[in-house]
Amino acid sequence: MKIAVLSRNRRLYSTRRLIEAGAARGHDMHVIDHLRCYMNIASHKPAVHYKGKALEDFDAVIPRIGASVTFYGTAVLRQFEMTGVFPLNESVAISRSRDKLRSLQLLSRRGIGMPVTGFAHSPDDTDDLLALVGGAPVVIKLIEGTQGVGVVLAETQQAAESVIDAFRGLNANFLVQEFIGEARGSDIRAFVIGNKVVAAMRRQAKEGEFRSNLHRGGSATVVKLTPEERSTAVRSARIMGLNVAGVDMLRSNHGPVVMEVNSSPGLEGIEAATGKDIADLIVRFIENHGRFGKTRTKGSG
Ligand code: ADP
Ligand code: MG
């Protein structure tokens, strides 16, 4: 198959591994920088242009779109979808998952466990908002943050009020969440491909930190998931419409609670922690499911 990896940098670990794994299975692999793609959307024959010519004959595209360029990246992916190219994850599902509030609303509607979460905009209801999620300590998060940036633990009511006032002053969208203290700075990343959890790791925050993100100095070890955790992860990915997802959960006193569903989960941490060849599994998924013209949404909806 002719497969494009939409990535800004071919040296990134995940990009490199996907190219390697595809080539090892005999595929024609290309790295395409989505920010350098351009397109004529008024044309009757949709196409994506790159470095002076139209990209042609691709069977599948693997989006690795960074959070800072979601808008343009998903537009490029949508254009690929309109031409019939199979996307590993669809543009609509990626947009959905990038918005934490939208994702949690979709998941809660389907009964997925999550930390009690509040959301507000106007400046006069901070007290009630905090009461709604059970009062301090609370976690306050920017809606579109990633890698732990914009995620704050407020241990007292007063700290929570100051952080909320500060975020409001910046006109930033945020949510307020029950702090799951019993997780003790660790969370679970379940790597889902299709209808299966293919690998899972437990990430532990470094000393004095509650965020377990590997980018914040967390460390990862392999973990065995409970059946409930597995089904929560698989259902969450399916609700978001993602074929491949990194589902982040906390082990709370009342079972697994989902914090977020990542549409471009990194391969480095999970491959190192579990010793599994995740890139190969992704390529095999595309071989089995990637059919030209079979995109579910074709960028609509
Ligand atoms: P990001 O998108 O920046 O990774 P997350 O929502 O995943 O944001 O939060 C980052 C980390 O902070 C999580 O991996 C987890 O360790 C910790 N965390 C987030 N929310 C909570 C919570 N409600 N209770 C306890 N820890 C949390
Ligand atoms: Mg996270």
Side-chain angles (χ1 to χ4, degrees), residues 170-248:
L170 296 169
N171 242 328
N173 278 311
F174 60 90
L175 51 83
V176 182
Q177 207 164 59
E178 162 197 17
F179 173 58
I180 308 293
E182 62 267 29
R184 297 178 182 280
S186 87
D187 76 350
I188 306 280
R189 158 65 59 91
F191 204 106
V192 177
I193 301 182
N195 292 327
K196 255 181 83 180
V197 173
V198 296
M201 63 179 168
R202 198 176 83 106
R203 298 177 299 193
Q204 178 65 49
K206 67 177 183 204
E207 191 67 30
E209 171 63 74
F210 80 104
R211 296 166 299 178
S212 55
N213 301 68
L214 301 183
H215 285 95
R216 305 248 74 77
S219 55
T221 48
V222 63
V223 69
K224 189 163 164 44
L225 299 189
T226 65
E228 191 187 6
E229 287 164 347
R230 282 179 183 277
S231 75
T232 300
V234 169
R235 285 182 59 215
S236 299
R238 179 147 353 122
I239 292 166
M240 302 306 297
L242 294 168
N243 292 318
V244 169
V247 181
D248 292 349

Side-chain angles (χ1 to χ4, degrees), residues 3-66:
I3 303 175
V5 179
L6 286 189
S7 168
R8 300 231 50 215
N9 182 349
R10 59 174 62 243
R11 285 185 296 274
L12 294 175
Y13 180 92
S14 302
T15 304
R16 224 170 1 97
R17 289 283 301 117
L18 289 162
I19 294 292
E20 263 170 33
R25 292 190 58 77
H27 300 297
D28 180 14
M29 304 297 292
H30 297 258
V31 177
I32 307 283
D33 177 353
H34 36 284
L35 290 197
R36 294 180 65 186
C37 290
Y38 48 98
M39 49 235 163
N40 174 0
I41 55 169
S43 157
H44 287 302
K45 194 173 164 291
V48 179
H49 290 255
Y50 190 64
K51 295 186 177 170
K53 46 180 192 281
L55 294 173
E56 277 169 353
D57 312 324
F58 278 94
D59 298 295
V61 53
I62 304 179
R64 301 283 321 171
I65 298 166

Side-chain angles (χ1 to χ4, degrees), residues 162-174:
S162 327
V163 174
I164 291 174
D165 284 348
F167 280 179
R168 276 186 173 138
L170 296 169
N171 242 328
N173 278 311
F174 60 90

Side-chain angles (χ1 to χ4, degrees), residues 120-136:
H121 191 271
S122 67
D124 53 354
D125 41 25
T126 306
D127 275 354
D128 192 38
L129 178 63
L130 285 168
L132 206 68
V133 302

Side-chain angles (χ1 to χ4, degrees), residues 100 141 146-148 187 189 203 213 248 259-260 262:
K100 288 183 187 175
K141 300 183 189 184
T146 184
Q147 302 183 343
D187 76 350
R189 158 65 59 91
R203 298 177 299 193
N213 301 68
D248 292 349
M259 286 178 295
E260 62 169 345
N262 293 282

